[in-house]
Amino acid sequence: MSSFSGIWVPLVTPFHEGEIDFTALKALCTRLLKRGVDGVVVCGTTGEAPMLTKEEQLQVLDAVLEVVPGHQVIMGLSGTHMPVIREMQEAILRRPVAGLLIPAPYYIRPSQAALVAWFTEIADHATVPIVLYNIPYRTGVQMELDTFRQLAKHPRITAVKDCGGSIDLTLSLIADEELDVLCGEDVQIFSTLSLGGKGAIAASSHIFPEEFVQLIKQFKAQDIVAARKTFFGLLPMIRLMFSAPNPAAIKYALSLDGLMDNELRAPMLPAPESVELAVRDFLNQHSR
C-alpha cells in the first residue's frame, strides 16, 4: 500500500491576463521542492480547479510534471457526472502521478451508500492510490466513519484529506490505522500530528514552506516542545492566509515576492484591501 505523509502543497494556479501562467507555475513548484516539501497537489480547491476547463487542468498537470517527479504529484479529480469523471480519470492516469484526490460529489448530497458506490467505482478503475477528500462545507455531505471503514477495504483507497470538522471522526480514523490521515485544515495541523496523523495538505504552506517541513521533522524526532513553538510561530500567518476566500490572500502574498500576478478567475476576487495591507505588513515584519 502506498503511503502519504509530510507536507503536500495544494498549488495555486497562476494567471496572467486571464490565461494560465505556466512559467510562474513551474517556478513556484521548483521553489517549493527546494524548500523541502514532500509533494504538491494539482487542481485542488486552492488551484481554482472549478474555474479551469478539463483541458486546462491537464495542461496544468503536464506543466507541473515537467519539474516535479510523478511520485510527488497528486491530481485533483472532482465532479458529479460519472462518465465525465471516468474520462478525466483515464486522461490523468496516462500521466505518472502518485495519486488522485477525490471529494464527494458536491451539491447533490448523496447518501452514505451512494458515496461508497461512487468512490468504489472510481477506485475500481484506478491504477494509483486514492486520497478521499472529506470537506462537507464545500460538498454539502459529511462522510461518516462507517463509510470510511468500508472504503478503506479497497486496495486503492489509502488516505484521507481530513476537513470534516469532527475531532471524533479524526480520532477514529487515526486509531483505525487503515488510512493515512492528512490534515486539510491548516489551523489543526499541530493537533492532527499530535494525535498520530501522517501529515497535511496545507494551502498556507506556500508561505514559509521550510517551517512546515521543519514541523514534520520535529514530530518525527518526538520533539513536541520545539514543534509547538514552530506551529505557534506559523499560526498568525495561517490565520491571515484564510482571512479572505482561499486562495486570494495566498496569491497576494506570492505576488509580493514576484512569483506571480495577483490574479484570480471569476467568481473569485482578489483579497480586500484591508487583508492585502495586513498580509503586506505581516510579511514585511516576518521575512524569512
Side-chain angles (χ1 to χ4, degrees), residues 83-127:
V84 173
I85 289 284
R86 289 280 296 108
E87 181 180 5
M88 187 65 173
Q89 181 183 19
E90 290 174 4
I92 294 169
L93 294 179
R94 288 194 285 270
R95 280 93 168 157
V97 296
L100 300 172
L101 176 67
I102 306 176
Y106 47 79
Y107 184 74
I108 54 178
R109 302 178 67 188
S111 68
Q112 297 299 303
L115 289 173
V116 171
W118 176 268
F119 284 111
T120 297
E121 181 171 348
I122 296 172
D124 284 344
H125 293 90
T127 56

Side-chain angles (χ1 to χ4, degrees), residues 7-231:
I7 296 298
W8 291 70
V9 183
L11 294 169
V12 299
T13 302
F15 298 114
H16 177 69
E17 296 181 354
E19 300 299 322
I20 298 168
D21 187 341
F22 294 105
T23 300
L25 175 64
K26 288 186 281 189
L28 174 64
C29 290
T30 300
R31 181 176 190 257
L32 292 170
L33 288 185
K34 286 182 177 178
R35 303 287 179 92
V37 303
D38 292 273
V40 298
V41 179
V42 179
C43 292
T45 306
T46 305
E48 298 173 75
M51 285 75 88
L52 302 176
T53 67
K54 298 301 181 184
E55 180 181 11
E56 285 178 322
Q57 291 183 30
L58 292 173
Q59 290 172 348
V60 169
L61 176 58
D62 287 339
V64 170
L65 287 170
E66 288 182 23
V67 293
V68 183
H71 69 272
Q72 292 178 278
V73 178
I74 294 173
M75 180 66 176
L77 175 63
S78 62
T80 58
H81 188 220
M82 183 59 78
V84 173
I85 289 284
R86 289 280 296 108
E87 181 180 5
M88 187 65 173
Q89 181 183 19
E90 290 174 4
I92 294 169
L93 294 179
R94 288 194 285 270
R95 280 93 168 157
V97 296
L100 300 172
L101 176 67
I102 306 176
Y106 47 79
Y107 184 74
I108 54 178
R109 302 178 67 188
S111 68
Q112 297 299 303
L115 289 173
V116 171
W118 176 268
F119 284 111
T120 297
E121 181 171 348
I122 296 172
D124 284 344
H125 293 90
T127 56
V128 298
I130 287 175
V131 181
L132 303 172
Y133 187 3
N134 186 33
I135 185 161
Y137 58 81
R138 289 191 183 274
T139 64
V141 59
Q142 173 71 269
M143 295 176 65
E144 297 175 359
L145 179 59
D146 186 60
T147 300
F148 282 108
R149 286 174 169 167
Q150 292 182 63
L151 291 171
K153 297 174 183 176
H154 198 289
R156 287 295 182 194
I157 298 176
T158 66
V160 54
K161 179 180 179 182
D162 179 25
C163 300
S166 167
I167 185 63
D168 187 55
L169 178 61
T170 301
L171 282 167
S172 298
L173 290 171
I174 292 172
D176 281 354
E177 297 185 334
E178 294 296 326
L179 297 169
D180 296 330
V181 177
L182 302 172
C183 180
E185 295 292 333
D186 296 15
V187 296
Q188 296 172 9
I189 290 174
F190 181 83
S191 56
T192 298
L193 292 173
S194 298
L195 293 168
K198 294 294 184 68
I201 299 177
S204 61
S205 63
H206 280 90
I207 316 301
F208 310 148
E210 66 282 358
E211 299 288 336
F212 287 85
V213 171
Q214 180 67 18
L215 179 66
I216 295 293
K217 290 178 179 178
Q218 289 163 341
F219 267 100
K220 288 181 177 179
Q222 299 184 358
D223 191 346
I224 302 301
V225 173
R228 184 183 296 112
K229 181 178 180 181
T230 297
F231 175 74

Side-chain angles (χ1 to χ4, degrees), residues 267-288:
M268 300 298 292
L269 291 173
E273 185 176 351
S274 59
V275 171
E276 291 188 348
L277 178 61
V279 170
R280 187 167 64 251
D281 287 347
F282 180 88
L283 293 180
N284 285 338
Q285 295 172 22
H286 300 83
S287 60
R288 295 293 200 270

